Amino acid sequence: MTTPWWQTCVIYQIYPRSFQDTNDDGIGDLRGIARRLDYLVGLGVDAIWISPIYPSPMVDFGYDIADYCDVDPSFGVLADFDNLLVQAHRRGLKVLLDLVPNHSSDQHPWFAESRASRESQKRDWYIWRDPAPGGGPPNNWISDFGGSAWQWDEATGQYYYHAFLREQPDLNWRHPAVQAAMYDVMRFWFDRGVDGFRIDVLWHMVKAADFPDNPPNPAYRFGMGEMHRLLQRHSTDQPEVHRIAAEMREIADSYGARGQGARVLIGEIYLPVDRLMHYYGGERPEMHLPFNFQLIDTPWQARVLAAVIANYEAVLPPGGWPNWVLGNHDRPRVAARLGQAQARIAAVLLLTLRGTPTLYYGDELGLTDVVIESSDVRDPRELREPGLALGRDPVRTPMPWDDSENAGFSAVRPWLPLHADWSTRNVTRMAEDPQSILALYRRLTALRRDRRALSIGSFVLLNVQDDILVYERRHAAERLVVALNLGERPHRLQLPEWVRDSRLLLSTAEDAALVEDGVLLLGSNEAVVLEAG
Ligand code: TEU
Ligand code: CA
């Protein structure tokens, strides 16, 4: 029985505007990704997910799509994508695209036709409603980026719904023609050879048919962002979304359901874990991997993490494969949240937990959130709700390749500024330093490849105390122990009997931990992987 690649792989997210520029416009492009594929092979990842590359006015930097079946000129042309795919596949790398089915750009021809008149053939492709009886928006729903989620259209005298920007009208997924059109988009890219999709805001796609007001959120506090005033009870996570997710899965499976040829679907879903589990599917399979963002949101404390991991393992449905994420293009970077020392421990955690890990570009260098001067702000989220630290520019800054001008990212000033220490915190420099976090990531991916216990083995929590988290990964005769110190204080840990004669496979510290008489001396901010026998 062969394990499908998406269970054993390490996924690497690329924010294409910020990875590598090749035509001197300060914006990363597809040729740039192709140029850096050998870096990714050396890093030891197996699949890349590329944030949207399609034609877009870039109001939300590609999450506002004006044509689902082409490439934006700032990223290149379709032939560049085809070439990237060939080059990636030649190196054994899978390529996942970002599918954004919930909404299009307001510049998409579908929306132009829809808004043209109430009688338009495509009127119902989007969500149009009359004003509330007393006037004003049809209900109280709030955009995730602040303000009413309803935009008045003077010409046709109705409101349209947008869960995000007004430039991102939501498609009406209750309409069969919309479903058919988006399924054709999936086929377009599957036919070209892509290995799967990360699906944007999957849980948003269907709204309650009668559009009731959302209830207030009792936990709302100023500073959380206006969207959190209300619970998104009726605007998201509706039962009907599951049939759509299952149909998407059927399309993916029709291109490859097993082994190396499998096509994979990853759902972006921000929901409590019990709700998240439904997106694996019931009678019919849905997402291969509903993104598990808990490591991003969980306080960095051993007991809390242990509880989160144990609960997640416990509620996974039969056959449901776990996955873990430390960061993405919307959330603070891991090194900004935890600091450099613990970012290394987080790397060990991400790559030794049971389940498919997704790594965000730059986190392997310990990039932190870059301070963006107000004149440099680009993210519409920051522009709409300034000063609440909701902006996402800080985590989308250019990848630093070397200490040449603009860090080898571009010959010209990049679209967002580089981090301050780019002349030392860059790929070339860190690759030479065996103690760098980059070197640590390389050792971790190599170890994960080498030890089936890490990729497909079982998981058992062994010890949780103070700042210490210890667990076992086991496959057949292979038994590994992972011990993490989430704090500064060194610890002496009594090891279980079976691991007394153990070998140290990896340590994050320069002078690695010692095992003496069955006691592990775990240093400050140190994580180790031991192998029994
Ligand atoms: O993100 C959706 C999303 O859930 C977040 O913006 C969320 O509202 C925020 O993290 C608060 O928890 C996806 C994309 O990843 C994002 O870049 C897009 O802006 C958004 O959808 C619209 O497409
Ligand atoms: Ca470019």
Side-chain angles (χ1 to χ4, degrees), residues 152-167:
W152 176 245
D153 182 60
E154 189 63 50
T156 59
Q158 284 190 311
Y159 285 89
Y160 68 84
Y161 176 70
H162 56 92
F164 296 89
L165 300 171
R166 73 165 69 97
E167 293 89 349

Side-chain angles (χ1 to χ4, degrees), residues 17 20-30 73-76 409-410:
R17 289 181 76 82
Q20 174 70 64
D21 178 21
T22 59
N23 66 343
D24 305 347
D25 62 356
I27 296 171
D29 42 57
L30 291 175
S74 64
F75 295 129
F409 166 74
S410 176

Side-chain angles (χ1 to χ4, degrees), residues 60 63 100 103 144-145 164 168 198 200-201 203 227 268 270 329-331 381 392 396:
D60 193 20
Y63 286 92
V100 188
H103 46 270
D144 278 25
F145 294 157
F164 296 89
Q168 293 167 297
R198 172 267 193 188
D200 193 62
V201 296
W203 86 112
M227 64 173 284
E268 188 213 18
Y270 283 95
H329 63 295
D330 294 330
R331 308 302 302 272
R381 181 119 205 244
R392 302 165 296 178
R396 298 175 174 181

Side-chain angles (χ1 to χ4, degrees), residues 15-197:
Y15 196 68
R17 289 181 76 82
S18 296
F19 202 58
Q20 174 70 64
D21 178 21
T22 59
N23 66 343
D24 305 347
D25 62 356
I27 296 171
D29 42 57
L30 291 175
R31 288 183 180 204
I33 298 174
R35 184 190 285 178
R36 296 300 184 179
L37 288 175
D38 288 330
Y39 165 74
L40 297 171
V41 171
L43 179 58
V45 302
D46 311 278
I48 54 176
W49 146 38
I50 312 174
S51 279
I53 56 168
Y54 321 101
S56 164
M58 300 288 168
V59 185
D60 193 20
F61 296 107
Y63 286 92
D64 48 327
I65 297 173
D67 179 352
Y68 285 91
C69 298
D70 205 346
V71 167
D72 191 84
S74 64
F75 295 129
V77 294
L78 206 44
D80 294 323
F81 178 75
D82 291 338
N83 177 56
L84 170 60
L85 199 55
V86 169
Q87 297 297 329
H89 284 168
R90 205 171 271 167
R91 290 164 173 82
L93 290 171
K94 305 285 187 186
V95 177
L96 312 178
L97 285 182
D98 206 316
L99 186 72
V100 188
N102 177 70
H103 46 270
S104 72
S105 161
D106 63 346
Q107 302 303 304
H108 195 294
W110 296 341
F111 188 68
E113 198 178 329
S114 180
R115 93 187 302 177
S117 89
R118 290 203 192 194
E119 283 70 47
S120 160
Q121 279 261 326
K122 288 201 169 61
R123 186 64 169 180
D124 291 338
W125 279 44
Y126 292 83
I127 299 172
W128 292 96
R129 307 283 288 179
D130 290 331
N139 66 23
N140 70 349
W141 294 2
I142 297 172
S143 153
D144 278 25
F145 294 157
S148 171
W150 295 96
Q151 176 64 31
W152 176 245
D153 182 60
E154 189 63 50
T156 59
Q158 284 190 311
Y159 285 89
Y160 68 84
Y161 176 70
H162 56 92
F164 296 89
L165 300 171
R166 73 165 69 97
E167 293 89 349
Q168 293 167 297
D170 279 46
L171 283 151
N172 174 17
W173 271 89
R174 293 180 182 273
H175 196 314
V178 168
Q179 300 171 10
M182 201 61 72
Y183 298 161
D184 281 345
V185 169
M186 295 178 72
R187 292 187 189 98
F188 175 87
W189 293 105
F190 278 141
D191 285 337
R192 295 195 102 78
V194 307
D195 300 291
F197 294 101

Side-chain angles (χ1 to χ4, degrees), residues 166-317:
R166 73 165 69 97
E167 293 89 349
Q168 293 167 297
D170 279 46
L171 283 151
N172 174 17
W173 271 89
R174 293 180 182 273
H175 196 314
V178 168
Q179 300 171 10
M182 201 61 72
Y183 298 161
D184 281 345
V185 169
M186 295 178 72
R187 292 187 189 98
F188 175 87
W189 293 105
F190 278 141
D191 285 337
R192 295 195 102 78
V194 307
D195 300 291
F197 294 101
R198 172 267 193 188
I199 303 178
D200 193 62
V201 296
L202 179 64
W203 86 112
H204 269 268
M205 284 174 60
V206 182
K207 339 310 172 186
D210 48 350
F211 295 89
D213 275 357
N214 274 327
N217 174 11
Y220 173 75
R221 301 281 174 279
F222 178 77
M224 294 168 86
E226 206 196 337
M227 64 173 284
H228 295 291
R229 273 184 195 284
L230 304 178
L231 298 172
Q232 298 188 329
R233 181 167 303 156
H234 304 296
S235 48
T236 65
D237 196 28
Q238 298 299 300
E240 295 91 335
V241 74
H242 293 288
R243 186 182 55 79
I244 290 161
E247 285 174 7
M248 290 179 155
R249 174 61 177 266
E250 213 165 84
I251 293 167
D253 282 352
S254 75
Y255 282 86
R258 259 174 287 282
Q260 273 309 301
R263 308 292 176 108
V264 64
L265 297 182
I266 305 175
E268 188 213 18
I269 302 150
Y270 283 95
L271 282 176
V273 170
D274 59 317
R275 302 298 310 163
L276 182 66
M277 292 302 126
H278 293 280
Y279 289 80
Y280 279 105
E283 306 267 275
R284 300 170 72 191
E286 297 177 25
M287 296 298 107
H288 297 80
L289 304 172
F291 259 147
N292 168 21
F293 296 121
Q294 291 178 100
L295 291 183
I296 299 181
D297 292 315
T298 305
W300 200 244
Q301 296 159 15
R303 275 197 179 76
V304 187
L305 281 171
V308 159
I309 296 164
N311 177 60
Y312 181 64
E313 285 278 353
V315 297
L316 279 170

